[in-house]
Amino acid sequence: MFKCKMCGMCCRNIKRYKNEIYPILKGLLGDAIPNLDIEENNGVCAHLTEDNKCSIYGQRPVLCNTEKMFDLLSIALGVTKNKLYKAQILSCEINKKHLNTHENEDK
């Protein structure tokens, strides 16, 4: 199981998901992944609370549910969920760097 650290980086980087990651997932999974309809405010998910929790956690989109996404991707890609967990950890680090870079550019 992926151990989310609840840093909120993925929720603060919705534009990256919409523009870069979602099109790849849609190409791989087709109709298994519904349209990405995440409300955002300047790239931040509108459902992210101040304490980095999701205000719609029980009804969050499939993209935001790592276990459901890993189940779908494991089948589509023919890889183990363990490999996907490792990839997600790297993705978290990339999100942190990406977000920090853009925050520094804005200053």
Side-chain angles (χ1 to χ4, degrees):
M1 172 178 260
F2 176 70
K3 306 259 188 209
C4 177
K5 296 185 178 172
M6 295 180 61
C7 66
M9 285 296 132
C10 55
C11 304
R12 287 184 175 82
N13 215 343
I14 296 298
K15 286 183 182 177
R16 179 171 177 252
Y17 279 92
K18 283 184 173 181
N19 297 334
E20 298 174 25
I21 297 170
Y22 180 76
I24 294 168
L25 292 174
K26 191 70 173 171
L28 284 171
L29 302 173
D31 291 336
I33 184 167
N35 288 334
L36 182 60
D37 189 22
I38 298 176
E39 297 173 43
E40 64 170 287
N41 182 10
N42 201 24
V44 177
C45 179
H47 304 290
L48 182 66
T49 63
E50 288 184 24
D51 58 351
N52 288 334
K53 293 184 179 174
C54 178
S55 65
I56 60 164
Y57 187 80
Q59 296 81 37
R60 68 195 182 279
V62 172
L63 183 66
C64 302
N65 186 325
T66 54
E67 288 306 310
K68 285 184 181 178
M69 280 304 304
F70 291 162
D71 286 341
L72 292 170
L73 287 170
S74 178
I75 293 166
L77 299 173
V79 298
T80 65
K81 286 175 73 172
N82 249 0
K83 287 185 179 181
L84 293 171
Y85 297 146
K86 290 176 184 177
Q88 183 61 46
I89 291 167
L90 291 174
S91 178
C92 290
E93 292 303 316
I94 291 168
N95 271 336
K96 287 177 191 174
K97 289 177 185 174
H98 185 265
L99 192 62
N100 289 336
T101 299
H102 288 287
E103 284 178 348
N104 290 334
E105 288 173 357
D106 292 340
K107 292 180 181 178

